[in-house]
Amino acid sequence: MTHEPDRQAPDLNNAGPGRPGHEPFFNIPNVVLAMLLVMVAIQVALDSLLPQRAVLEIILQGAFIPQRYSVPISGQVGPYLWSPFTYSLLHGGYAHLALNSFWLAAFGSIVARRVGWLRFLVFWFSSAIASAALFLAFHWGDESIMVGASGVVSALMGAAARFAFGNSGFRRDRAHLNPRTSIVRSLSNRTVVAFLAVWFGINLMTAVGFSFGMVDSAIAWEAHVGGFLFGFLAFSLFDPIGRR
């Protein structure tokens, strides 16, 4: 997530005797693959296919811009309503897209296998709005331009923290089958606590100005935190599997 200040269970059928079945590394659910392809297609179009004027118009119409919400809605009804979602499909370049795609494939696959494609899309839509809302709270009236799926990815990480890290550790091929734990119980899991500490530590560093080498754009840590909190606290609204 960046902003620019100025503008199924595994198939065990083939597992031999004494040899556990395992999932191919690139076995990505269709809905996650579809979102990845959409984001890649958009980036290719913006970077190579469309004229500069069209690119600027798409960014203006599709990116999340806090200033949009400090002026009357008249004349900007479309972007006012859709940009809190569409910004999550736009990226600031191929490096930005590649980083988000990697984490989306990892955590999005776990969540998608658990909740199904429809709930996954609703979760994406809702977490994008939640991420944008916290960013807006910190940047009310700014001309900042925010793009990227990092807020959604952060929400998926938060959701995964509620079920993926079982007592026996993390198993990628079985994580989506674990029962969902309560918020309190999740916070008593050492693996989850360590995961949260590292994640929030990284975002705290970005909040105080450490950009991890991303000199051309600022990291929208507020959107990351908003997404993560949404995923962690609200995942039970999307989860079809009971908790323990």
Side-chain angles (χ1 to χ4, degrees):
M1 179 74 61
T2 64
H3 70 90
E4 300 176 8
D6 298 325
R7 321 161 304 207
Q8 299 130 357
D11 182 5
L12 303 180
N13 293 332
N14 295 323
R19 182 166 55 92
H22 57 85
E23 188 179 36
F25 185 80
F26 291 106
N27 186 4
I28 300 174
N30 289 339
V31 66
V32 177
L33 183 60
M35 297 306 291
L36 288 170
L37 292 176
V38 167
M39 294 191 303
V40 169
I42 291 174
Q43 187 60 44
V44 170
L46 294 177
D47 193 65
S48 306
L49 302 179
L50 297 175
Q52 187 64 24
R53 183 173 180 177
V55 170
L56 293 176
E57 184 65 20
I58 290 173
I59 296 298
L60 179 64
Q61 296 290 320
F64 185 78
I65 305 173
Q67 188 185 46
R68 206 190 307 274
Y69 298 90
S70 62
V71 298
I73 190 175
S74 57
Q76 56 164 353
V77 175
Y80 193 98
L81 297 176
W82 65 55
S83 64
F85 165 73
T86 55
Y87 79 91
S88 66
L89 302 176
L90 304 171
H91 288 83
Y94 286 110
H96 187 205
L97 173 61
L99 181 63
N100 280 339
S101 296
F102 176 83
W103 292 114
L104 175 60
F107 286 93
S109 295
I110 295 171
V111 175
R113 289 192 187 97
R114 184 179 182 91
V115 304
W117 70 269
L118 181 58
R119 285 188 178 93
F120 181 86
L121 292 178
V122 174
F123 182 88
W124 184 298
F125 179 84
S126 303
S127 60
I129 293 175
S131 301
L134 192 61
F135 183 80
L136 178 64
F138 279 84
H139 295 273
W140 181 261
D142 285 4
E143 296 180 358
S144 305
I145 297 176
M146 182 175 72
V147 294
S150 303
V152 174
V153 171
S154 297
L156 292 167
M157 291 178 174
R162 294 289 302 278
F163 67 88
F165 303 101
N167 294 330
S168 58
F170 177 77
R171 284 189 55 188
R172 185 175 58 85
D173 60 333
R174 304 287 296 178
H176 62 289
L177 300 176
N178 293 335
R180 184 182 75 252
T181 57
S182 67
I183 293 174
V184 173
R185 188 162 183 171
S186 296
L187 293 175
S188 67
N189 184 308
R190 292 183 180 180
T191 304
V192 172
V193 171
F195 176 69
L196 293 177
V198 171
W199 191 91
F200 275 101
I202 291 173
N203 281 277
L204 178 61
M205 292 174 69
T206 64
V208 298
F210 191 79
S211 65
F212 298 93
M214 296 180 66
V215 296
D216 294 330
S217 58
I219 298 175
W221 63 268
E222 304 92 340
H224 296 183
V225 173
F228 192 96
L229 291 176
F230 175 84
F232 187 74
L233 299 176
F235 178 65
S236 59
L237 301 176
F238 303 87
D239 189 15
I241 301 177
R243 72 179 180 89
R244 61 182 179 190

